[in-house]
Amino acid sequence: MKLQIINLNVVVDNKEIIKSLNLDINPQEIHVIMGPNGVGKSTLSRVIMGDPNYKVINGDILVDGKSILKLSVDKRSKLGIFLAMQYPMEIDGVSNQDFLRTAISSLNNKRVGLYEFILDCEKATSELKMDKNLIHRSLNTGFSGGEKKKNEVLQIKLLKPKFIILDELDSGLDVDSLKIVGENLRQYKEENEDTSILIITHHPKILEYLKPDYVHIISDGKIIKTGSYELALDIEKKGYNDYLDKTITLTKEEEYE
């Protein structure tokens, strides 16, 4: 899936958060958005997904050349866009299993067979080293932070999206859980080569499992620097201060000079 963000401006609570942002993500590519708190990283993820609380006042978002701005969240999901949220929602009274089976059936426009679904669930939960009882409990209710994040990856493995947004999926994960989540996402990408991924993160540890094609620094609602995986490693060592005053837009040939 190809996603293009063109000259995008977004307002939240009468405050402009995203300012003339441009970004192209081609099929198979992995892009990373990094930057200090409050600069618009999570806002971008929610705008792509269609959160009505975020108002687009200029620009466009295209999927395979067609605008998605007028599409509802569910229609964007059916296109193959998936947002793994930083803080997954808890829904008491709706079992994890029923939620997943209903979602898969909606995507495929037909009721998924129970036996097939159970086999897929057992395989995916085993690979994620999840407590098998979690699939029968209310969605994310009473889950630990790590269990919620693994459950987001479980949804990815079963729903099979084409464009995945990981909004600080690595936050709150211990070393072992991060390894499990990272390896499962890498496996998914290897099995679904055309999948595109946008990773929003503060720390490059997850990038050891998902080697990015591009790393972008965002500040004040726009991209101010683009580089390779080494840019993320440099940020980990030095922080953002060396980059925040450098707002020159580079061509793709200049990005790595």
Side-chain angles (χ1 to χ4, degrees):
M1 175 181 288
K2 179 178 177 64
L3 185 134
Q4 296 171 277
I5 299 173
I6 303 171
N7 201 33
L8 191 70
N9 293 69
V10 177
V11 171
V12 183
D13 296 330
N14 297 317
K15 182 179 179 181
E16 191 174 16
I17 304 297
I18 300 293
K19 303 175 183 178
S20 300
L21 189 144
N22 292 277
L23 180 63
D24 283 6
I25 302 177
N26 293 309
Q28 303 182 8
E29 289 183 347
I30 299 177
H31 287 240
V32 178
I33 295 284
M34 302 184 75
N37 289 327
V39 295
K41 301 187 301 297
S42 291
T43 294
L44 181 61
S45 70
R46 291 181 175 275
V47 172
I48 295 171
M49 202 67 243
D51 189 323
N53 294 310
Y54 297 79
K55 184 178 180 182
V56 175
I57 59 172
N58 186 61
D60 208 346
I61 302 175
L62 308 181
V63 168
D64 294 334
K66 296 182 179 179
S67 176
I68 63 170
L69 288 187
K70 294 183 179 180
L71 297 183
S72 59
V73 175
D74 64 306
K75 288 182 179 179
R76 297 187 195 202
S77 295
K78 287 186 176 182
L79 283 178
I81 303 174
F82 182 94
L83 170 59
M85 294 183 288
Q86 183 178 1
Y87 303 107
M89 183 181 298
E90 297 182 6
I91 304 178
D92 198 19
V94 176
S95 76
N96 207 10
Q97 185 177 51
D98 287 344
F99 170 81
L100 282 166
R101 192 178 177 204
T102 300
I104 296 169
S105 297
S106 178
L107 283 175
N108 298 331
N109 293 315
K110 63 178 182 180
R111 189 68 174 166
V112 63
L114 181 58
Y115 181 69
E116 176 187 0
F117 173 75
I118 289 173
L119 289 180
D120 289 343
C121 272
E122 288 181 348
K123 181 176 184 293
T125 53
S126 176
E127 290 171 345
L128 284 163
K129 295 180 170 55
M130 292 176 66
D131 180 347
K132 296 188 184 301
N133 291 323
L134 293 179
I135 199 70
H136 304 293
R137 288 167 51 182
S138 292
L139 181 64
N140 289 321
T141 302
F143 288 24
S144 69
E147 288 170 340
K148 287 181 179 180
K149 298 302 179 71
K150 285 185 177 181
N151 205 44
E152 293 290 285
V153 180
L154 173 65
Q155 292 174 31
I156 290 171
K157 289 167 74 70
L158 295 180
L159 294 172
K160 301 190 182 305
K162 301 172 185 175
F163 184 87
I164 300 169
I165 309 168
L166 305 175
D167 186 5
E168 298 197 31
L169 186 73
D170 49 345
S171 66
L173 290 177
D174 59 34
V175 174
D176 291 335
S177 294
L178 179 61
K179 183 175 186 291
I180 292 167
V181 163
E183 288 178 345
N184 273 266
L185 287 169
R186 181 173 61 195
Q187 178 188 6
Y188 180 87
K189 184 70 172 64
E190 290 171 353
E191 293 173 352
N192 301 271
E193 292 184 355
D194 287 340
T195 301
S196 310
I197 301 177
L198 176 61
I199 303 171
I200 297 168
T201 184
H202 283 291
H203 309 289
K205 193 69 178 176
I206 194 170
L207 307 185
E208 294 178 9
Y209 303 97
L210 295 166
K211 289 294 193 299
D213 299 287
Y214 298 99
V215 175
H216 312 279
I217 300 176
I218 187 171
S219 178
D220 194 29
K222 54 185 177 290
I223 292 172
I224 61 169
K225 174 71 175 177
T226 294
S228 64
Y229 175 45
E230 283 68 30
L231 177 58
L233 300 179
D234 193 51
I235 291 169
E236 184 182 33
K237 293 177 182 177
K238 301 177 182 178
Y240 294 106
N241 288 337
D242 288 349
Y243 300 100
L244 294 184
D245 293 329
K246 299 176 182 179
T247 58
I248 300 173
T249 301
L250 302 178
T251 66
K252 287 200 171 184
E253 289 75 25
E254 294 171 325
E255 284 167 0
Y256 301 105
E257 293 180 357

